[in-house]
Amino acid sequence: MGSPIFAGGAAEREAPFMRIREKVVAAGCLAVAACLLAPGEAAAQTVRRDENWATVSDVSLVLGTSVVFLMPRVYYSDPEATVGWKGRWHFSVLAPAMTMTALTLLVDLPIKDAIESPRRGCGIDQTKTAVSDSNCESFGGPSTHAFASWGATGAGTGIFLVDTFRYSSGRFNAGGFIGHVAFPLTASVVTSIARGVAPGDNRPHEHAGQIAIGGVTGFLSGLAVGTAYAMFQRPNCGYGNALFCW
C-alpha cells in the first residue's frame, strides 16, 4: 500500500499536464472551427461592380439590336418594281434575328461554362458556387453583351452591303447606312465601354480580353448571318407599295 504523501505528490505532478492537454484540445477545436468557417465567409464575399454602367450596357444593347432588325431594307433598282429608292420591312428578318439570339444563348451558357473564364475579382470555384448577390454568379468570357451587340452590327453591315451592291447597283443610301451600320456600331462601342469600365473601387463586368473575344466572334457571326439572309431574301415586296411583307 503506497504512502499518502507520495500519492499526493503524484497527483500534483499530473495536474499541470492535465491543464496543458485541455489547452491543446481547446486550441485544436478552435482551429477546426476556423477552417470550417473560412470557406463559407470567402464564398459569400461580394465583388463590387457599378450598376449604373451595367444599366447603360443593357440599354445600348437593346437599342442597337432592335434598330438593326426593325430597320426596313432600303434599295434602289429592281426589275420587278418602279425605279427609285424604296424601303420595305420583311417579316423574314426574324430568321437572322432568331439565329443571332440562339448563338448568343449558346455563348452565354455552354460555351462560357466550358471555357471557365471568371470575371475580375472572382475565382473559378467561387463562380461555380454561384453565391447569390456575390456578382460572381456567371463566367465573363466571351462577353455575352459584346457578342450580341457586335453581332447585330455585323448582321446590319451584311444586309447593308448586299442591298447596296447587289440590289442598288452600288448606290449609297444614308438612311440605310445609319439604320443598319452607324447606329448599331455606336451602340456596340457604348456597350463594350460600359462592360469594361470600373469607376472607383468597382471591378469591371468583364475585362478587355473577354470583351474583345465576344465582340470579334459576334461581329463575324452576325456578318455571315446578315449576308446570307440578304443574299437569299430580295428586299422588294413585288408589285405594289406595301411597306410590310414576307
Side-chain angles (χ1 to χ4, degrees):
M1 185 172 182
S3 172
I5 296 176
F6 290 106
E12 290 177 357
R13 287 194 299 270
E14 290 179 1
F17 291 104
M18 293 292 292
R19 287 193 294 270
I20 292 173
R21 284 199 297 268
E22 291 175 356
K23 291 180 179 180
V24 171
V25 172
C29 293
L30 290 175
V32 172
C35 292
L36 292 175
L37 291 175
E41 293 174 355
Q45 181 180 0
T46 299
V47 179
R48 293 181 56 185
R49 306 191 196 280
D50 194 282
E51 295 301 324
N52 293 326
W53 281 108
T55 302
V56 171
S57 68
D58 292 340
V59 173
S60 59
L61 170 62
V62 171
L63 290 177
T65 54
S66 298
V67 167
V68 168
F69 297 113
L70 292 177
M71 178 69 190
R73 302 275 300 277
V74 179
Y75 64 102
Y76 185 82
S77 60
D78 193 299
E80 299 180 4
T82 305
V83 174
W85 287 111
K86 293 171 283 293
R88 302 289 185 266
W89 187 84
H90 286 249
F91 284 96
S92 59
V93 78
L94 294 176
M98 296 305 295
T99 300
M100 291 307 302
T101 300
L103 291 176
T104 301
L105 293 175
L106 187 66
V107 168
D108 191 51
L109 298 174
I111 292 180
K112 275 189 174 183
D113 291 340
I115 295 176
E116 295 185 350
S117 177
R119 303 178 190 274
R120 292 292 189 196
C122 305
I124 294 178
D125 292 337
Q126 184 180 6
T127 304
K128 288 182 177 180
T129 304
V131 178
S132 178
D133 298 326
S134 66
N135 285 326
C136 294
E137 293 89 345
S138 62
F139 290 106
S143 170
T144 305
H145 280 68
F147 182 89
S149 62
W150 285 99
T153 300
T157 301
I159 294 173
F160 173 77
L161 291 176
V162 173
D163 287 349
T164 298
F165 292 102
R166 181 172 183 178
Y167 301 115
S168 301
S169 300
R171 294 179 176 86
F172 177 83
N173 183 273
F177 177 78
I178 293 173
H180 276 131
V181 180
F183 187 90
L185 175 61
T186 303
S188 297
V189 172
V190 173
T191 301
S192 299
I193 293 175
R195 299 304 292 180
V197 296
D201 297 329
N202 294 287
R203 297 294 185 94
H205 291 275
E206 290 104 18
H207 59 70
Q210 295 170 337
I211 296 171
I213 294 175
V216 171
T217 56
F219 181 82
L220 294 177
S221 299
L223 182 64
V225 170
T227 301
Y229 162 72
M231 291 291 290
F232 286 103
Q233 175 63 64
R234 300 179 67 84
N236 70 306
C237 291
Y239 292 103
N241 295 317
L243 179 60
F244 302 98
C245 60
W246 288 100

